[in-house]
Structure formats: structure tokens, C-alpha cells
Amino acid sequence: MTEPYLQVKNLNVSYAAIPALANVSIDLAKGERLAVIGESGSGKSTLAMAIAGLLPKQARSSGTIDFPGLSHSPKPGKDIGVLFQDPSGSLDPVMKIGDQIAEVAMTHQGISWIAARVRAAQLLDRVRIPKPLSRLNSYPHEFSGGQKQRIAMAAALAGNPSLLIADEPTSALDTVVQRHIVDLLDELVREAGLTLLFVTHDIALASERADTIAVLYQGRLVETGPTVRVLGEPEHPYTRALINTHISLDTPRAKRLAEINVADL
Amino acid sequence: MPPIVSFFLRRLLGALPVLVVVLVGSFLLLEAASGDAVDSYVARSGAMDAEQMAQLRQDWGLDKGPLYRFRAYATALAEGDLGWSTSFERPVASVIFERLPITLLLMGVATALAFSLGSFLGILAGASPGSFRDRFLSIASLAIYAVPGFWLGLVLIVIFAVDLRWLPVGGIETIASGKSGLARLGDIAAHLILPVASLAMVYLVLYLRLMRDRMSEIWRDPFVSALEARGISRSRIVWRHVARNAVLPVVTMLGLQAAAMLGGSVVVESVFAIPGFGRLAAEAVARRDTPLLLGVILCSAVTVIIANLLVDLAYGKLDPRVRAGR
Amino acid sequence: MNVWRRLNLEARIGAVMLSILVLMALLAPLIAPGDPLAITGEPMVRPFASEAHVLGTDRLGRDVLAGLLHGTRTTLLVAFFSAAAALIVGSIVGTLSGYLGGFADTVLMRITEAFQTVPGFLLALAAISVTGPSVPTLIFAISLGNWTQAARVTRAEVLSLRERDFVAAARTLGMRPLEIAFREILPNAFGPTVSLAAISVAAAILIEAALSFLGFGDPNRVTWGSMIAEGRTVLRAAPYLSIVPGIALVITVLSVHLIGRGLSRRERLVP
């Protein structure tokens, strides 16, 4: 077996004595696309932020997160790009978007400001912002939510990272836009051969786009494996329950959740 | 017409009702005074018989009703005539325009100093809220905020002019120094140091606190963690992003503080014997020169309105969201 | 002592300082009996040089400590009442403006704007020139330039309260608009306005000091501002005459700010 790109071992994270992640271990191969699924509060975002090295100061953690695929410890922006849920919150409201992308390129690639601006225009083009050269000087409020998420994507990729972490990147957008963003994300990841970890509560999305799925429940990793296997023959009752709730979204929530019996877990 | 000019004109037109309220209000207030300009003129210039006084009242329109006088005043005002100063025996407008530049210079330098140094120190404090540096600056600024400008001026005079003899005690320049050009500029600058410091100190710490408080709020904005995730250096996040966002409300304060600073210049100019607009206000009150006082009030209102306009223009340049909305 | 426990350290220090000042004001006639403007000793005695005059005497031989103590009375009296007047007038104007809306709102806000456009200190000067200096006219003159912020804050609060359920309920109960405005809305809008109290008191103290420094204060009373002005004439020979009352001013304003910060922080915690 080849050496994994990312290795998480016995990771525990807690906020003020309230555990958010308990004993999570997971491997990620280079170029693999992993979907982390679970309901809100399951710890899936915490896992993503822990790997990105962005846990808040008050969080306490133990365990190891190693990057055997890298010769050095990962630098945010340079090795890991992060895409957040809220596109408006990802951009500085009073700085030109071109400058926000360029500053990432300049920081991590040691290129001049002019070269960084050129790179910013190329990235805007790659994320399908029309007329990228003239839009460099636009401000975030001049774009729609979907466009802002594309710009955030450009900024996340500006440092040429090898791992992209996306924390529910589409849940703040409407359905049609979601589809475009997901397609674009998929395409960029394939083109650049990126390793992708994306957090979602959308099982359909995970089944379409992920090679591997990890299911989190109450801070614990209850099941992990290839997408087809996890979704086709779920071993854990919680996974089964999740799949069922997805299939019958019309049934009342109380009834859907009734199938998740804590005693079974 | 360039958009900036039309914006300026539109705003001035919008300020007109406010100016009318100021005019009517201050006219009414000063009408309520017991004794008129003739009484105070006589009190100052010595004996005058009843007939002369009646003649003077007629000349100054004081024998007519207040409504008549208001109409006369407003008509003259529309032509740029602010009336006759009874104590200077000159047109009010010429007295005011002689005094105004000095005060504008004083206020301009004080504002520039307070804003630049205040926000710089505010950034140092707000760069890491809760740190020792932040707590030190916060406590120091709170203490300085309680210091009245005119008293600070006296303390500075005692230290720098009386004891150390580094700087002049007062005035705007050395009288009959025969200096010209750069030497004269340097002389004026030396005279300005202490008054500017006394006037600016309160605003300096005010801007420091504002900047610091706003920055500590902005640190919690999600875009800051997005920047951290992109590996942007800490100093760049502090100076180019957090401080840049935090400076906007501080700029708004500049306009709001224009009126307060103009009021402050009254006392500071008196302390440093600077023949400016502020001291003119005190003189108008002391000499019961009602037309002059009315002119001073109107001119300070116009000054404040223009200062606010300039601040709004600057704000529009600084905040792209406002620029688009205009 | 429930209030005490809820104050933070800063506010506690401020409260202690202000209590001492109030005590000084109350006990002034006991500690320093007689007229503080009376000449009681040699002129220009240095501080701590004489037991009879702990803080020394001024140019004319008046006791500095007596002046300081009696000055506390003037300062606190004028500051408290003018801040109270400013807050009351401001919140009434703000309530009317916010609740009535429409034309009344436009007119009231123009007037508020006009008052904000003229420097408050200049307004106070003009008012004093009309009324002549005395404690009540000083209170009036200072509050003239001090009420606008309260009006704005109250108006904003009223605008947000106007559509709440309890107002609608009062309306269905058949209460008249002004009754609703002043019995239902104003009491609820008062919270944020009270947090302005400290700023208003501090501003009033400083304006009163500046006015009396310029010689527009009540001539029959000792004030810190007039003491500073008095000392200024002998600034070279006896700087302490101006410096000592100034320190008293700084301490008073600081104590008010400390309390205000403590209060406003609690205001923020309690929704």
C-alpha cells in the first residue's frame, strides 16, 4: 500500500470540556476525494478545521495529524486551501478582489506584485468570472453569492495547495448555483490533481463526487470506506438512518430521526 | 458638471434648512438679551445723551420690531452681509474672515495629528486585544481622556515655555520679528506646537479608543479566519485588513467632532492668546457684540457643515460600498 | 449591595472616587467653614508649608483647599442637573420624533441637526451672554448643547420599539398616541439613553469648567475653572494654583468615565 498523503491518528478535540471529536483516525491518499458527512454538531467541521490548522484558540486537542506526502509541515494557503461555507464572510469587504487573490499568490510563491496580479486574473478566469482582467478592481459587494464563492475558490487555490478543504461550500447558496459551484470544484480538483476533503450533509452530493466517505456521529467516526461500499452496504445503523432520511425527505423530521436509535450504536 | 461638484452643491442645498433653523434659533436667543447693542456700546465708549442713543438705535435699526430686524438681517445675509460689529466698528464678515484662517489652521493640524497618531496607537492596541500593550494604552487613554484641553495647555506652558523655555508662551508668531519665508513658517510652527497639542490630545485618545474597539470587533469577523487560512502574514492582516476596515467609523467621527473641536478652540485660543475665530467668540460675548456673536454662530455652523461634507467625500473614497451606492 | 457586586473593577474604582467627591461636596461647609472667597491668610503660601492652609493660598490669600472643596459643590451640582436636563429633553424629543414620524419627525430632526451643527460650547456661551451667569442659567446653557445625542439614541430605540407587540396591544386597547409614546415606549427606550448619562455628565463638567475659566461662570461661587483662571495670572510664580484644581477636574471626569464604562459594558451584556 502506498504512503497516505494525510494521516489523522486518535484525534480528540474539545471546547471548554465539551468534546467535539473523540478518537478520530482517518487516512487520505494523494488525489483522493473524501466526503465527511454527518448532521450538524457531529464534529465534521471541527475535523476539517483541525486538519487545516484553524482550530480556535480555546479548543483543546490531542492526537496527531501528519502529512507524510509533504516534506515539511503544511503551511496554510501554500499547502492547504480552505473554502468556507459563507462566501460573503470569506472576503474582506473593502479590498479589491484582485488584490485579495494576488496577496495569496505573492505570499506563497515569492513573485512580484505585478506577476501576482496577472496570476489573480488567470485564476479568476479559471473559476469562470467573466472579463477577469477588469473585474480585478471590483469589490466583493459587486458580486453575487455564487460569484463570491468562485472568487474565494480562486483565493484558496492561489498558493497552489495540494490539499483543498471545503467546509459545506454550497450550503449558503441556492440550488442552481450549488450545482455550478460543485461542478467547478470537481473540475479544478481533477485538473490540478488535488486531494479534496469536503464536508457536507448532502448525501447525494457525496455519492456523486467522493471516492471515499467518512461518517461522523456525535464526534466519533462511525464508518469510513469507499463511497459505493458505504452507501450501498452501510454497516453502521447511523449510516443507514442517514441514507434513509435522505431517501424520504418528505417524511416528517421526527419520524426520520426515530430510526436513529442511540442504543444500537 | 463633474459628479463631485454636483454632489457638493446638492449637499449644501440639503443643509440649507438646518442653517435656517440655526439662524432663526440664534436670532431668537440673542433677541432675548436684556439691553441692546447701544447700551453696551455706551457702557464701553462712555457718556452719550439720550438723543444720541436714540439716533444710534435708529441707525442700527433697533427702534423697529424684531420681525423687521430679522427680515433686514436675512436679506443682508443673502447678499453675504453679516452686519456691523459694534465692538470692532467694522463689518462682521471682515472681522471673521481675518480670524478664521488661524483657527482653521489650528484645527486642521490638530485633527491631522489626532487622527494619524490616534489611529496608529489604536492599531498597536487593537493588533492584539487583551495584551499588555493593549491594556496599557487603554488605561492611559482613559486617564488622558479626562484632561481638559485648556488646563493641559497651562500645564504645557508651565513645563515647556516657563521652565524649559523651549517654546513660546503664546501668540501665533513673534511680534515684529522681521522674519519672512521659511524662518517665519518655522516661527509659526513653534507657536503652534503647544496649542495643537492641547487641542488634539482629547481627540487623539478618542480616536485611539475607537480604533482599538472597532478592531477588536473586526477580529471576530469570519473574513479574518479566511485570511488566516490563506496564510496571509499576521502583520498584513493587522495593517491591510483589520485596521483598514476599522478606520472607516473613525473617519465618520472626524466630522462629528468638528463642532466639538471648534468649541474647544475657544478656550485653547484664549489660553495661548491666539487671535483666532474661537477667541473672537469669547470676545463677542464679553463685549456684548450681538451682531458679531450671531455671525460667529452662523460661520461656525457653516464650517461644521463643510467639514462634514469633506469627511463624507473622504469616506466615500475609503468605503467602496458607499461609493457604489451614491 | 447587589449593584456593587455587578460592577467591574473599573466601575468600582470610579464609584469610590465619585463617592469621595460627593462627600467632599457635602462636607465642605464643615471642613472649611465660612466663605471660600474670603481672604484668610498670607497670599501665595505654598502647599504643605502651613498647617492652616494645607494646599496653600492664592494670590489674594484665599485658602486653596476651601476653594477646592466648595468648588466640588458647584461642579457636581451644575454637571448633574444639566446632564439630567439634557437627557430628559433629549429623550422627550427623541420619543416624539420617533413615534410621531412624518412631518413632526422631519422638523424635530432638523432642529436636532441644527443644534449639532453649532458647537455646544458656543451655544452655552451665547446663552450665558443672554441670561447672565448663575447656577440655573449655567445648567440651562450647558444642557442646550448636550441633549442632541440623547434625542438621536432615543429616536432610534423608539423606531425599533414602535412595531413591537406591546405597542400594538396598547393601540388595540384604545390608548391615545401620545399616551402610548410616553407611557409604553419611552420607559422601554430609556435604557440605552441612560448609558449616555456618564458621557453627558463628563461633558457638562468640562463645559462648566471652561466657561468659568473664561470668566463666564457664576461670580458668587468658587469653581475649579475660576480657580485655574485665577492661578493663571501668577502661572510663573505659583503654577500649583492652576495645577491643583485641574487635577481635581481630571479626577472627577475620570471617575465618571470609569463608572460609565462599567455601566455600558453591562448594558451590552444584558440584552
Side-chain angles (χ1 to χ4, degrees), chain B residues 62-138:
Chain B
L62 293 172
D63 53 339
K64 306 277 191 348
L67 202 65
Y68 171 85
R69 282 203 302 279
F70 181 75
R71 209 180 304 142
Y73 188 83
T75 321
L77 188 66
E79 291 163 8
D81 180 5
L82 283 171
W84 186 261
S85 160
T86 54
S87 64
F88 286 85
E89 310 208 8
R90 273 166 56 198
V92 168
S94 85
V95 182
I96 287 178
F97 287 119
E98 185 183 283
R99 300 290 199 95
L100 201 53
I102 298 174
T103 300
L104 292 182
L105 177 69
L106 183 66
M107 280 175 63
V109 178
T111 304
L113 177 82
F115 179 69
S116 52
L117 200 57
S119 26
F120 176 76
L121 292 173
I123 294 171
L124 291 188
S128 45
S131 65
F132 173 76
R133 190 170 60 189
D134 174 33
R135 287 212 299 274
F136 174 78
L137 284 170
S138 290

Side-chain angles (χ1 to χ4, degrees), chain B residues 2 100 114 206 219 254 273 284 302:
Chain B
L100 201 53
L206 178 71
W219 279 114
L254 283 179
V302 172

Side-chain angles (χ1 to χ4, degrees), chain B residues 142 151 209 259 270-271 288 300, chain C residues 119 122 129 232 242 246 258 261:
Chain B
L142 194 66
W151 181 73
R209 304 190 61 82
S270 298
V271 168
R288 308 192 119 266
S300 56
Chain C
L122 210 55
S129 83
R232 188 187 164 199
S242 284
L258 285 170
R261 264 164 59 98

Side-chain angles (χ1 to χ4, degrees), chain A residues 24 26 34-39 42-44 47 200 203 206 212-225 229-231 234-243:
Chain A
V24 171
I26 197 166
L34 168 73
V36 178
I37 61 175
E39 57 196 52
S42 62
K44 56 190 196 302
L47 177 61
T200 182
I203 297 184
T212 331
I213 283 184
V215 184
L216 278 178
Y217 177 66
Q218 291 190 342
R220 280 177 297 153
L221 184 65
V222 292
E223 188 160 6
T224 180
R229 210 274 299 142
V230 171
L231 295 183
E235 283 168 5
H236 199 276
Y238 178 70
T239 316
R240 238 173 284 146
L242 263 186
I243 295 167

Side-chain angles (χ1 to χ4, degrees), chain B residues 19-325:
Chain B
L19 273 179
V20 171
V21 176
V22 171
L23 174 65
V24 174
S26 39
F27 196 87
L28 284 177
L29 176 68
L30 296 180
E31 270 298 318
S34 64
D36 59 16
V38 173
D39 290 328
S40 61
Y41 183 77
V42 173
R44 218 176 24 257
S45 63
M48 193 185 268
D49 60 45
E51 201 175 308
Q52 282 171 306
M53 283 172 72
Q55 181 62 42
L56 202 55
R57 285 209 167 86
Q58 210 176 334
D59 289 352
W60 288 349
L62 293 172
D63 53 339
K64 306 277 191 348
L67 202 65
Y68 171 85
R69 282 203 302 279
F70 181 75
R71 209 180 304 142
Y73 188 83
T75 321
L77 188 66
E79 291 163 8
D81 180 5
L82 283 171
W84 186 261
S85 160
T86 54
S87 64
F88 286 85
E89 310 208 8
R90 273 166 56 198
V92 168
S94 85
V95 182
I96 287 178
F97 287 119
E98 185 183 283
R99 300 290 199 95
L100 201 53
I102 298 174
T103 300
L104 292 182
L105 177 69
L106 183 66
M107 280 175 63
V109 178
T111 304
L113 177 82
F115 179 69
S116 52
L117 200 57
S119 26
F120 176 76
L121 292 173
I123 294 171
L124 291 188
S128 45
S131 65
F132 173 76
R133 190 170 60 189
D134 174 33
R135 287 212 299 274
F136 174 78
L137 284 170
S138 290
I139 292 170
S141 65
L142 194 66
I144 294 172
Y145 195 52
V147 176
F150 68 92
W151 181 73
L152 178 66
L154 288 175
V155 173
L156 292 177
I157 287 177
V158 169
I159 298 172
F160 293 102
V162 175
D163 277 1
L164 297 171
R165 292 173 183 280
W166 286 352
L167 293 167
V169 176
I172 186 66
E173 60 181 318
T174 312
I175 297 160
S177 63
K179 285 176 182 164
S180 61
L182 271 182
R184 183 169 173 232
L185 266 184
D187 184 47
I188 293 178
H191 279 82
L192 271 180
I193 292 175
L194 294 185
V196 162
S198 335
L199 190 59
M201 196 59 90
V202 166
Y203 301 98
L204 193 154
V205 291
L206 178 71
Y207 299 142
L208 189 167
R209 304 190 61 82
L210 264 175
M211 190 78 188
R212 183 250 163 233
D213 287 351
R214 192 71 193 103
M215 276 180 81
S216 77
E217 282 166 31
I218 289 172
W219 279 114
R220 289 192 285 269
D221 256 23
F223 83 80
V224 175
S225 33
L227 290 166
E228 280 163 358
R230 289 179 208 142
I232 307 297
S233 68
R234 175 91 182 171
S235 70
R236 207 179 151 85
I237 292 180
V238 168
W239 291 91
R240 294 299 300 272
H241 294 281
V242 179
R244 176 70 177 73
N245 274 274
V247 84
L248 294 171
V250 184
V251 171
T252 330
M253 271 313 262
L254 283 179
L256 296 177
Q257 293 304 324
M261 202 181 241
L262 199 54
S265 71
V266 176
V267 219
V268 168
E269 284 179 3
S270 298
V271 168
F272 289 96
I274 294 172
F277 180 76
R279 211 171 68 155
L280 189 64
E283 284 167 3
V285 172
R287 299 176 182 189
R288 308 192 119 266
D289 188 342
T290 309
L292 181 59
L293 187 55
L294 201 53
V296 165
I297 292 175
L298 283 178
C299 277
S300 56
V302 172
T303 308
V304 169
I305 287 171
I306 292 178
N308 273 292
L309 237 161
L310 293 175
V311 166
D312 282 1
L313 278 179
Y315 190 89
K317 285 258 176 292
L318 283 171
D319 192 336
R321 290 160 295 190
V322 174
R323 208 181 310 161

